[in-house]
Amino acid sequence: MNKIEKHVVSNPRLLVFLLTLLVILPMLATDVYLPALPFLQESLSTNQANVMLTLTAYMIGYSSSLMISGVISDRYGRRPIILAGIAIFAAASVASIFIESIGGLVLLRFIQAFGGGSATLLARVVVRDLFDCNDQVRILSYLSAGLALSPTAGPILGGMLVESVGWRGTFVFIAAFSLILFTLAFLLLRESHTHCKNKLSLLDTLIELRLLGTHREFIAYTLIISLAWSIYFSFIASSSFLLQQYFDLGPVAYGFSFSAVIIGYIAGTVFTRKRGAHTSLDSLIRRASILVLLASSLMLLFSALEVINLFFLLLLVAVILFGVGAIFPATQVAVMRPFKSNFGLVAGSFYAFEMFFGAITGGILGLFKSISPLIASCMMAIAALLMYVTIRIMLPHK
């Protein structure tokens, strides 16, 4: 933490807490929302495919935000972009409370993610601005563990809101949370990008993007985290219908079941935090990918044989998410190591592709009339295999 500049924030722990809230914001809007999906389908008189579009549109908005906010934060600074993004997110959240059509909700979900995506990206970029490499691994693992609070508590809270006040109550909570966070960021966050006056022109930006497209390490880690996110998002997007309709759980029971498997993800981030300073990040990523591939293949096998029950499915998902949780912070640190400037552009491109893969995953799942364990496990296993092959090809043993 020796690189931190005191003028940014007087208390580094307070800074980490605020950054954690910023990272949580856009994912909380999905995790609290997930238990509402079957009820939203009935309330708005639509079908499962259209409801899945609200998740896909969110990922597209998220991806777009990550790309754009990273670039413009290099030009104008982190703080104003973060504040503007939270304001957009809050406005869309308030509007969603009163929406009466699925088409309108799809649009608002896109706008919501477009605003909120800047918060989760630039929180990580601020870490890169202020901390050295070893501290980055530790701080990013804290953010990843903090991010796990959203899928741990969010579905439970969402389930309670759905059962007590209906699906619109989830948006009331999200809107209130975002308004509180805007106030905290406005009061506490200071500018961390001290070189934002050195602005890239549009031509310079295009040149830098072209160079990124030929940078082997950037491509490798971007593909790895994108496929890891596809695995994670396959479960997120399918879980509400899978657990509430296929396994006939109620909203609150679904929330607790969803939260239980996130223990695996949290354990994975803790593992990286403990081992990241003593083990090669590439080695850690390789080992985690093997675990993910084995667990997802086993889940696919038992689903195909129709001998999988709810407990065994959740246990295997928890193991898969342990590997994913280990891979996330490792790739986030590794991808930034070769670069000495334009961190917003690099990070924005990196996370934008990750979320774009989530949009593709959600779009594919939306093609099915109903979600079964076989469909969900097939999506996860395919992404795990592609991730393993990518690692074998692009991260060879030295």
Side-chain angles (χ1 to χ4, degrees):
M1 200 177 292
N2 58 317
K3 280 183 64 181
I4 193 166
E5 300 179 36
K6 292 184 178 179
H7 76 275
V8 176
V9 68
S10 58
N11 188 336
R13 292 184 179 180
L14 184 60
L15 173 62
V16 174
F17 174 72
L18 179 59
L19 294 178
T20 302
L21 293 181
L22 290 172
V23 168
I24 288 174
L25 176 65
M27 292 313 301
L28 189 66
T30 292
D31 295 323
V32 172
Y33 170 71
L34 286 175
L37 296 185
F39 301 90
L40 184 152
Q41 176 183 345
E42 181 180 356
S43 175
L44 298 183
S45 302
T46 187
N47 55 45
Q48 183 173 308
N50 286 337
V51 173
M52 292 290 289
L53 277 178
T54 64
L55 297 177
T56 302
Y58 195 85
M59 286 298 105
I60 294 173
Y62 208 159
S63 177
S64 303
S65 174
L66 294 172
M67 177 64 75
I68 295 172
S69 62
V71 173
I72 61 177
S73 76
D74 282 337
R75 293 172 59 87
Y76 302 110
R78 318 302 187 204
R79 184 176 186 271
I81 308 306
I82 289 174
L83 293 176
I86 300 174
I88 293 171
F89 179 96
S93 300
V94 171
S96 297
I97 299 171
F98 307 100
I99 200 68
E100 295 291 344
S101 70
I102 189 65
L105 184 59
V106 169
L107 176 60
L108 287 173
R109 289 284 290 171
F110 172 87
I111 296 172
Q112 192 181 44
F114 186 80
S118 64
T120 192
L121 166 69
L122 296 182
R124 294 180 173 109
V125 175
V126 167
V127 174
R128 181 61 181 80
D129 288 339
L130 300 175
F131 296 90
D132 61 28
C133 188
N134 287 334
D135 283 331
Q136 286 175 40
V137 175
R138 182 169 55 86
I139 300 302
L140 286 173
S141 66
Y142 287 148
L143 297 191
S144 294
L147 183 59
L149 291 174
S150 175
T152 301
I156 296 174
L157 176 61
M160 293 177 176
L161 288 169
V162 170
E163 283 199 347
S164 59
V165 298
W167 66 267
R168 296 182 191 275
T170 62
F171 286 106
V172 173
F173 171 80
I174 294 166
F177 183 89
S178 60
L179 290 170
I180 292 171
L181 181 56
F182 178 88
T183 303
L184 290 174
F186 182 82
L187 294 175
L188 300 176
L189 188 64
R190 299 294 178 264
E191 183 55 60
S192 65
H193 186 35
T194 56
H195 304 293
C196 59
K197 292 182 179 180
N198 300 326
K199 300 178 181 180
L200 286 175
S201 67
L202 177 59
L203 179 60
D204 291 333
T205 300
L206 294 175
I207 292 173
E208 291 294 328
L209 286 172
R210 178 179 175 276
L211 291 175
L212 283 180
T214 61
H215 196 290
R216 181 181 176 86
E217 287 182 81
F218 176 81
I219 294 172
Y221 294 120
T222 299
L223 286 175
I224 292 166
I225 199 171
S226 297
L227 290 166
W229 177 252
S230 292
I231 297 167
Y232 186 82
F233 193 71
S234 293
F235 177 68
I236 290 178
S238 62
S239 64
S240 185
F241 291 106
L242 180 63
L243 299 186
Q244 292 190 81
Q245 293 187 344
Y246 188 89
F247 287 105
D248 201 28
L249 297 183
V252 175
Y254 160 74
F256 278 102
S257 299
F258 187 99
S259 300
V261 302
I262 299 301
I263 294 173
Y265 176 84
I266 297 173
T269 65
V270 172
F271 178 79
T272 295
R273 185 173 74 243
K274 298 292 186 182
R275 300 296 303 168
H278 309 288
T279 306
S280 162
L281 292 179
D282 287 356
S283 177
L284 191 153
I285 291 169
R286 290 190 200 97
R287 294 171 186 174
S289 71
I290 294 172
L291 177 66
V292 172
L293 179 60
L294 291 175
S296 60
S297 298
L298 192 60
M299 180 176 164
L300 176 59
L301 174 62
F302 281 92
S303 296
L305 295 174
E306 298 183 348
V307 294
I308 195 167
N309 58 32
L310 177 60
F311 175 79
F312 193 44
L313 181 142
L314 295 177
L315 177 63
L316 286 174
V317 171
V319 174
I320 292 168
L321 294 189
F322 175 89
V324 170
I327 288 170
F328 276 1
T331 52
Q332 289 163 5
V333 172
V335 75
M336 300 298 289
R337 288 182 304 190
F339 302 96
K340 304 301 180 184
S341 62
N342 301 328
F343 302 132
L345 175 65
V346 176
S349 302
F350 176 71
Y351 291 113
F353 274 100
E354 177 189 353
M355 293 301 115
F356 182 68
F357 271 55
I360 294 173
T361 301
I364 294 173
L365 286 170
L367 297 175
F368 298 95
K369 292 183 178 180
S370 61
I371 301 296
S372 68
L374 180 59
I375 291 172
S377 60
C378 187
M379 290 288 295
M380 297 172 78
I382 291 172
L385 177 60
L386 291 175
M387 181 175 68
Y388 176 76
V389 171
T390 300
I391 293 169
R392 294 282 295 180
I393 294 173
M394 303 199 71
L395 295 183
H397 290 277
K398 296 182 181 179

